[in-house]
Amino acid sequence: MSVRRRGPRAVAVRVATYVMLVLVGVIVVFPFIVALSTSLKTSTDVFSYPPTLIPKQDVTVPASDVGGDEGDEPVPVFAIPGTDGSWALVENGVSLGVYTPVADIGTDDPRELVASLDDAVDLGRDVAVDGEAEAVVDVLVDGSVVEAYRVRTTIGARFQSLDDPALSVETLVSNAEPDRQFALRTENFTEVLDGKNLGRSLTNTVLVTLGVVGGQVLTSILGGYAFARLKFRGRDKLFLLYLGSVMIPFVVLIVPLFQLM
């Protein structure tokens, strides 16, 4: 009869054992959780970075809500830093200007402001930047007018406010954050079953597995009974031969099985 140890040391050992078992269990189960979570995600969410365990999908609104046609694709919704509310991406390929404030000339880390080319008002004077004359303009950034010069042009997008359709913002798509919400895409399973004919493949797999397992169980029972209960000439030698065949590593059989198949 074993006596259970008591005392602080025994309690610490048990706690450490349970903690270790829980950690090992989490490590073992985690890949299955990731696989289940991934199977319920959209293709965009699968490749999003940083990855998350909770399936999410982009929030969209009907194109008709932002002035589009009824049959157009849904429009994605974004949150733009420095603004309130939600914004719908209504136009891509908008030409934008990247400007640096005149006040930042000569500083170690000059800012770069993005604004629409149409919002730039030429002030009719120049400023010297690295020995070259640059036209000074007034640009509207985050509701404030800033004196700046244009560094380069780039391509962005136009966003329309969902709260006030009369308001729109033109900025880089990278500056906007997609609005995402929790959603389980269970259609992934039906698409695979219907589109890839997976149902028939699963049926074939189940039939073959049941046949192989059933055959092995039946022959193992009969062979085990013969070796254990029946006495016949050469039984021991045949049993040793069988054990020797079982001990052959499977990797040795890979090439012969491949050639056979």
Side-chain angles (χ1 to χ4, degrees):
M1 178 178 178
S2 61
V3 179
R4 188 174 183 180
R5 296 182 179 180
R6 299 181 181 276
R9 183 175 181 180
V11 173
V13 171
R14 286 198 297 272
V15 170
T17 302
Y18 289 135
V19 169
M20 182 64 67
L21 290 175
V22 170
L23 290 176
V24 173
V26 171
I27 293 174
V28 172
V29 174
F30 183 74
F32 296 95
I33 297 176
V34 173
L36 178 61
S37 172
T38 304
S39 68
L40 296 171
K41 291 182 177 181
T42 62
S43 58
T44 304
D45 193 22
V46 169
F47 297 102
S48 64
Y49 184 84
T52 59
L53 282 178
I54 300 176
K56 294 182 179 180
Q57 67 180 17
D58 296 339
V59 177
T60 59
V61 295
S64 57
D65 291 355
V66 289
D69 296 332
E70 195 71 32
D72 291 344
E73 292 288 332
V75 178
V77 178
F78 291 79
I80 301 178
T83 63
D84 298 326
S86 299
W87 301 80
L89 194 158
V90 294
E91 184 181 358
N92 266 315
V94 177
S95 296
L96 301 175
V98 179
Y99 300 89
T100 294
V102 174
D104 289 359
I105 297 177
T107 60
D108 295 333
D109 188 19
R111 292 172 294 168
E112 288 191 347
L113 309 176
V114 179
S116 172
L117 295 175
D118 296 334
D119 291 339
V121 179
D122 192 351
L123 298 181
R125 58 187 176 87
D126 297 335
V127 64
V129 180
D130 295 332
E132 296 184 3
E134 301 288 349
V136 178
V137 297
D138 274 345
V139 292
L140 182 64
V141 180
D142 297 335
S144 302
V145 177
V146 180
E147 285 191 1
Y149 65 94
R150 191 173 71 189
V151 178
R152 63 182 183 276
T153 58
T154 186
I155 300 298
R158 184 169 65 87
F159 299 85
Q160 181 176 313
S161 173
L162 295 179
D163 301 324
D164 185 359
L167 294 178
S168 63
V169 172
E170 295 179 350
T171 185
L172 299 175
V173 178
S174 58
N175 291 342
E177 300 176 358
D179 192 1
R180 310 178 72 195
Q181 64 182 5
F182 171 76
L184 299 177
R185 196 176 190 280
T186 56
E187 298 87 351
N188 292 338
F189 298 99
T190 56
E191 289 178 1
V192 170
L193 289 173
D194 298 338
K196 305 298 182 181
N197 198 22
L198 188 62
R200 184 58 185 174
S201 300
L202 291 175
T203 302
N204 294 340
T205 301
V206 171
L207 293 176
V208 172
T209 302
L210 290 177
V212 171
V213 173
Q216 288 183 346
V217 170
L218 179 61
T219 56
S220 297
I221 292 174
L222 298 178
Y225 180 82
F227 282 122
R229 296 298 182 180
L230 302 180
K231 293 184 179 180
F232 52 90
R233 181 175 295 180
R235 184 190 67 173
D236 294 339
K237 294 181 179 179
L238 185 61
F239 185 65
L240 289 176
L241 179 63
Y242 171 73
L243 286 181
S245 65
V246 172
M247 293 178 183
I248 298 176
F250 178 74
V251 292
V252 177
L253 303 176
I254 289 179
V255 173
L257 286 175
F258 173 78
Q259 293 178 345
L260 176 63
M261 297 304 295

